[in-house]
Amino acid sequence: MTKIFNFKNDINEEELNIAANCIKDGKLVIFPTETVYGIGANALDEDAVDSIFIAKGRANDNPLIVHISDFSMLEKLVEEPTKLEQKLMDAFMPGPFTLILKKKDIIPDNVSANLDTVGIRMPANKIAHDLIKTTNLPIAAPSANISSRPSGTKVEDIKEEFQNKVDIIIDGGETSVGLESTVVKVIDGIPTILRPGKITPEDIIEITGICKLSDNLFKKAEGVVESPGMKYKHYAPNNKCILVYSDKEELLIKLINSNIKEKTLIIGNAKNKNKYNCYKYLSYGTTLEEISHNIFSLLREADIYEPDLIIIEGVKKEGLGIAIMNRLIRASSYNYIEE
Ligand code: TXA
Ligand code: MG
């Protein structure tokens, strides 16, 4: 039976120790971070890591991120970072940021999916930090969702799908950011964003003067890719879904209205709620921060109404909007209309 520990108001030290012992014993613990919930295991225990892949139904060529609580954990795990990599870590860790570094042999092959690199992340969330610190082990953790489904941003959304598949779920309430960390790899001396997130290209340029977006952020990736996660179906509701965007609001509303069917559910800006003649409207808020915080949970909620079609209002691909559109284009399986 999966136990749920409630740390919404404060961290219970006794339960934290139980969770840490679970990780040490090779078991799985779901825990909150500031981005999304993670399903964690001892990153140095190959069998424990295998059970993450099984619980999620994840392809084993898709590597996991290793979570640390302090820089002192780094030396054992990865080769010495370059000056540029160190600068990025100093600027964005702890925080919603993952850096791909050259791994040492201690990292099991299943964590890195046989690559010679590994993603390192230091969460800022206090529960995540304390769990890693108490365990005193690096924790491998992908987002807590069955593969292809939207990532979990609150326990209510994921507790059924992981019932009896993990030992403990730590409930820390809704995650603040709501989208997974920005994944960066320094390629030919240039910080390159493999997965956009809360840390934007502008944030990185401010620190390093330069930043590149990977080619595959808004289209389907095929063949050899910089980040294996780009190839897979992601974030998808069970019902058919299309994403629509125009920077001219009137045109956006016209486009969406012309696609509405009998039982169409729309996910969009709070201010457009009354502009469509649709079966159900779910508001994702008005600011990019609100949209990022709410979107994964709304994609799950949409399915409950069993619509014949889900239409999502897109946003401008700028700042945090880059990360939002990267997720929504995948959630809609590349059914994207832009005019
Ligand atoms: O915010 C987050 O990053 C969350 C929380 C739990 O920390 N974790 C997360 O993990 O989103 P996951 O496994 O769902 O996504 C990891 C992404 C995948 O797209 C994977 O392909 C990429 O990072 N990745 C991991 N290791 C990599 C590597 N060595 N090289 C390139 N991409 C890598
Ligand atoms: Mg994921």
Side-chain angles (χ1 to χ4, degrees), residues 175-205:
T175 62
S176 59
V177 177
L179 297 179
E180 308 89 337
S181 61
T182 306
V183 177
V184 171
K185 183 178 183 184
V186 176
I187 303 174
D188 300 329
I190 302 175
T192 307
I193 295 185
L194 306 185
R195 181 179 68 185
K198 171 85 177 151
I199 306 292
T200 63
E202 292 75 26
D203 294 332
I204 293 172
I205 288 170

Coordinates of all heavy atoms in Angstrom, one line a residue, residues 175-205:
T175 N 2.7 22.4 -7.1 CA 4.1 22.9 -7.4 C 4.0 24.3 -7.9 O 3.0 24.7 -8.5 CB 4.8 22.0 -8.4 OG1 4.1 22.0 -9.6 CG2 4.9 20.6 -7.9
S176 N 5.0 25.1 -7.6 CA 4.9 26.6 -7.9 C 5.0 26.9 -9.4 O 4.2 27.5 -10.0 CB 5.8 27.4 -7.1 OG 7.1 27.0 -7.3
V177 N 6.1 26.3 -10.1 CA 6.3 26.7 -11.5 C 5.3 25.9 -12.4 O 4.7 26.5 -13.2 CB 7.7 26.3 -11.9 CG1 8.0 26.6 -13.4 CG2 8.8 27.1 -11.1
G178 N 5.2 24.6 -12.2 CA 4.2 23.9 -13.0 C 4.7 23.2 -14.2 O 4.1 22.3 -14.8
L179 N 5.8 23.7 -14.8 CA 6.5 23.1 -15.9 C 7.9 22.6 -15.5 O 8.5 23.2 -14.6 CB 6.7 24.1 -17.1 CG 5.4 24.7 -17.7 CD1 5.8 25.6 -18.8 CD2 4.5 23.6 -18.3
E180 N 8.3 21.5 -16.2 CA 9.6 20.9 -15.8 C 10.8 21.9 -16.0 O 10.7 22.9 -16.8 CB 9.9 19.6 -16.6 CG 8.8 18.6 -16.5 CD 7.8 18.8 -17.6 OE1 7.7 19.9 -18.2 OE2 7.1 17.8 -17.9
S181 N 11.9 21.6 -15.4 CA 13.1 22.4 -15.5 C 13.6 22.7 -16.9 O 13.4 21.9 -17.8 CB 14.2 21.8 -14.7 OG 14.6 20.5 -15.2
T182 N 14.3 23.8 -17.0 CA 15.0 24.2 -18.3 C 16.2 23.2 -18.4 O 17.0 23.2 -17.4 CB 15.5 25.6 -18.2 OG1 14.4 26.5 -18.0 CG2 16.2 26.0 -19.5
V183 N 16.3 22.5 -19.4 CA 17.5 21.6 -19.6 C 18.5 22.2 -20.5 O 18.1 22.5 -21.7 CB 17.0 20.2 -20.1 CG1 18.3 19.3 -20.3 CG2 16.1 19.5 -19.2
V184 N 19.7 22.4 -20.1 CA 20.7 23.0 -20.9 C 22.0 22.2 -21.0 O 22.4 21.5 -20.0 CB 21.1 24.4 -20.2 CG1 22.3 25.0 -20.9 CG2 19.9 25.4 -20.2
K185 N 22.5 22.2 -22.2 CA 23.8 21.5 -22.4 C 24.7 22.5 -23.1 O 24.3 23.2 -24.1 CB 23.6 20.3 -23.3 CG 24.8 19.5 -23.5 CD 24.5 18.2 -24.4 CE 25.8 17.4 -24.5 NZ 25.5 16.2 -25.4
V186 N 25.9 22.6 -22.7 CA 26.9 23.5 -23.4 C 27.4 22.7 -24.6 O 28.1 21.7 -24.4 CB 28.0 24.0 -22.5 CG1 29.0 24.8 -23.2 CG2 27.4 24.8 -21.3
I187 N 27.1 23.2 -25.8 CA 27.5 22.5 -27.0 C 28.4 23.4 -27.8 O 28.0 24.6 -28.1 CB 26.3 22.0 -27.9 CG1 25.4 21.1 -27.1 CG2 26.8 21.3 -29.2 CD1 24.1 20.8 -27.8
D188 N 29.6 23.0 -28.1 CA 30.6 23.9 -28.8 C 30.7 25.2 -28.1 O 30.7 26.3 -28.8 CB 30.3 24.0 -30.3 CG 30.3 22.7 -31.0 OD1 31.0 21.8 -30.6 OD2 29.5 22.5 -32.0
G189 N 30.7 25.2 -26.8 CA 30.9 26.5 -26.0 C 29.7 27.3 -25.9 O 29.7 28.4 -25.4
I190 N 28.5 26.9 -26.4 CA 27.3 27.7 -26.4 C 26.2 27.0 -25.5 O 25.9 25.8 -25.8 CB 26.7 27.9 -27.8 CG1 27.8 28.6 -28.7 CG2 25.4 28.7 -27.7 CD1 27.4 28.8 -30.1
P191 N 25.7 27.7 -24.5 CA 24.6 27.1 -23.7 C 23.4 26.9 -24.6 O 22.9 27.8 -25.2 CB 24.3 28.1 -22.6 CG 25.5 29.1 -22.6 CD 26.1 29.0 -24.0
T192 N 23.0 25.6 -24.7 CA 21.9 25.3 -25.7 C 20.7 24.7 -24.9 O 20.9 23.8 -24.1 CB 22.4 24.2 -26.7 OG1 23.6 24.8 -27.3 CG2 21.4 24.0 -27.8
I193 N 19.6 25.3 -25.1 CA 18.4 24.8 -24.3 C 17.8 23.6 -25.1 O 17.3 23.7 -26.2 CB 17.4 26.0 -24.2 CG1 17.9 27.1 -23.4 CG2 16.0 25.4 -23.6 CD1 17.0 28.2 -23.1
L194 N 17.8 22.5 -24.4 CA 17.2 21.2 -25.0 C 15.8 21.1 -24.6 O 15.0 20.5 -25.3 CB 18.0 20.0 -24.5 CG 19.5 20.0 -24.6 CD1 20.1 18.6 -24.2 CD2 19.9 20.3 -26.1
R195 N 15.4 21.7 -23.4 CA 14.0 21.7 -23.0 C 13.8 23.1 -22.3 O 14.4 23.4 -21.3 CB 13.7 20.6 -22.1 CG 12.2 20.6 -21.7 CD 11.8 19.4 -20.7 NE 12.5 19.6 -19.4 CZ 12.4 18.6 -18.5 NH1 11.7 17.5 -18.7 NH2 13.0 18.9 -17.3
P196 N 12.9 23.9 -22.9 CA 12.7 25.3 -22.3 C 11.9 25.2 -21.0 O 11.2 24.2 -20.8 CB 11.9 26.0 -23.4 CG 11.2 24.9 -24.2 CD 12.0 23.7 -24.1
G197 N 12.1 26.2 -20.1 CA 11.4 26.1 -18.8 C 11.3 27.5 -18.3 O 11.5 28.5 -19.0
K198 N 11.2 27.6 -17.0 CA 11.1 28.9 -16.2 C 12.3 29.8 -16.4 O 12.3 31.0 -16.5 CB 10.8 28.6 -14.8 CG 10.9 29.7 -13.8 CD 9.6 30.4 -13.8 CE 9.6 31.5 -12.8 NZ 8.7 32.6 -13.1
I199 N 13.5 29.1 -16.5 CA 14.7 29.9 -16.8 C 14.8 30.1 -18.3 O 14.9 29.1 -19.0 CB 16.0 29.1 -16.3 CG1 15.9 28.7 -14.8 CG2 17.3 29.9 -16.6 CD1 16.0 29.8 -13.8
T200 N 14.6 31.3 -18.7 CA 14.4 31.6 -20.1 C 15.8 31.9 -20.9 O 16.8 32.1 -20.2 CB 13.5 32.8 -20.3 OG1 14.2 34.0 -19.7 CG2 12.2 32.6 -19.6
P201 N 15.8 31.9 -22.2 CA 17.0 32.3 -22.9 C 17.5 33.6 -22.5 O 18.8 33.8 -22.3 CB 16.5 32.3 -24.4 CG 15.3 31.5 -24.5 CD 14.7 31.5 -23.1
E202 N 16.6 34.6 -22.2 CA 17.1 35.9 -21.7 C 17.8 35.8 -20.4 O 18.8 36.5 -20.2 CB 15.9 36.9 -21.6 CG 15.2 37.3 -22.9 CD 14.3 36.2 -23.5 OE1 13.8 35.3 -22.7 OE2 14.1 36.2 -24.7
D203 N 17.3 34.9 -19.5 CA 18.0 34.8 -18.2 C 19.4 34.2 -18.4 O 20.3 34.6 -17.7 CB 17.2 33.7 -17.3 CG 15.8 34.2 -16.9 OD1 15.6 35.4 -16.8 OD2 14.9 33.4 -16.7
I204 N 19.6 33.3 -19.4 CA 20.9 32.7 -19.6 C 21.8 33.7 -20.3 O 23.0 33.9 -19.9 CB 20.7 31.4 -20.4 CG1 20.0 30.4 -19.5 CG2 22.1 30.9 -20.9 CD1 19.5 29.1 -20.2
I205 N 21.3 34.5 -21.2 CA 22.1 35.5 -21.9 C 22.6 36.5 -20.9 O 23.8 37.0 -21.0 CB 21.3 36.1 -23.1 CG1 21.1 35.1 -24.2 CG2 21.9 37.4 -23.6 CD1 20.1 35.5 -25.3

